[in-house]
Amino acid sequence: MGRGFGGDRGERSELADRVVRVNRVAKVVKGGRKFSFSALIVVGDLNGRVGAGIGKAREVTEAIRKGMEVAKRNMITVPMVGTTIPHEVNLKWGAARIMLKPAAPGTGVISGGAMRAVIETAGIKDILTKSHGTNNPINTVRATLAALQLLKTAPQVAELRGKEIDQMVGKRLAAAYKGSSSSPPSGEVAAAAAGGATRG
């Protein structure tokens, strides 16, 4: 069977999936070689939920199906501010070192490879990323999901510290956070959330 990365369990009916990598594995046995396939799949609802999983089978299509099932069972929720993330995150996961940074609306997804698959299926539309170290897609996907789990919005940080949100980001940005009908201001909210998450 496959292995899943992620935390919150749950499923959505409308999910976008991305095949990140299909790997062929050959096992030498007495009668010759036996081939099997492993598929790394990323699944998301394009609205803040994403998960990943690996499926293994003798056929490619079956490996992809198993990977999708594992990914659906291991989805996480990503905190977002408008179309970007609340603050910058730097994470070292094994040999992988990644950086996620919020961006202004219209920037787009500045990312590549396995990281881009995770970010796009999560529904993040504006972000800057950088990946150092290993280029192994499995480790990169794991590291990206772990970094997304570290994100916290200003209201979440305020609640953890037992403070009012306007004490942390000011009255104007607090009003933007509380206004559910309208999207928060672009770069200012992201910067304020970053400051709230990093200040002691």
Side-chain angles (χ1 to χ4, degrees):
M1 285 297 287
R3 293 179 297 169
F5 327 122
D8 303 340
R9 292 180 173 270
E11 288 192 42
R12 296 287 178 92
S13 55
E14 305 251 340
L15 294 172
D17 59 87
R18 190 79 62 88
V19 179
V20 178
R21 184 183 183 183
V22 176
N23 193 33
R24 188 180 73 171
V25 180
K27 182 181 179 182
V28 180
V29 294
K30 201 171 186 179
R33 289 184 178 180
K34 281 187 177 179
F35 292 101
S36 61
F37 298 89
S38 66
L40 174 61
I41 312 295
V42 176
V43 172
D45 66 354
L46 304 177
N47 193 31
R49 285 179 61 78
V50 66
I54 295 178
K56 298 177 183 178
R58 298 293 294 274
E59 301 290 334
V60 175
T61 52
E62 181 66 11
I64 291 173
R65 186 191 65 79
K66 285 183 178 180
M68 286 181 63
E69 287 181 358
V70 175
K72 287 176 185 177
R73 290 198 305 266
N74 295 279
M75 295 184 75
I76 64 169
T77 301
V78 181
M80 291 173 60
V81 178
T83 58
T84 190
I85 58 175
H87 56 87
E88 184 176 338
V89 175
N90 289 278
L91 179 72
K92 185 175 187 300
W93 181 285
R97 299 192 313 277
I98 66 168
M99 181 271 292
L100 306 177
K101 193 174 183 179
T107 304
V109 177
I110 311 300
S111 181
M115 287 181 73
R116 188 181 190 93
V118 175
I119 287 161
E120 286 185 341
T121 51
I124 301 169
K125 295 181 175 60
D126 302 296
I127 192 171
L128 304 170
T129 72
K130 190 71 179 174
S131 177
H132 302 279
T134 182
N135 58 0
N136 183 318
I138 296 175
N139 288 341
T140 303
V141 167
R142 281 175 167 168
T144 305
L145 287 169
L148 291 174
Q149 284 184 291
L150 295 176
L151 292 171
K152 285 184 171 56
T153 61
Q156 289 172 329
V157 175
E159 186 177 349
L160 284 172
R161 298 182 181 177
K163 294 183 179 179
E164 294 294 329
I165 185 172
D166 53 2
Q167 292 178 296
M168 301 189 64
V169 299
K171 292 183 179 179
R172 182 166 165 266
L173 296 180
Y177 267 114
K178 292 172 184 175
S180 56
S181 57
S182 60
S183 297
S186 56
E188 294 183 12
V189 172
T198 55
R199 283 197 298 269

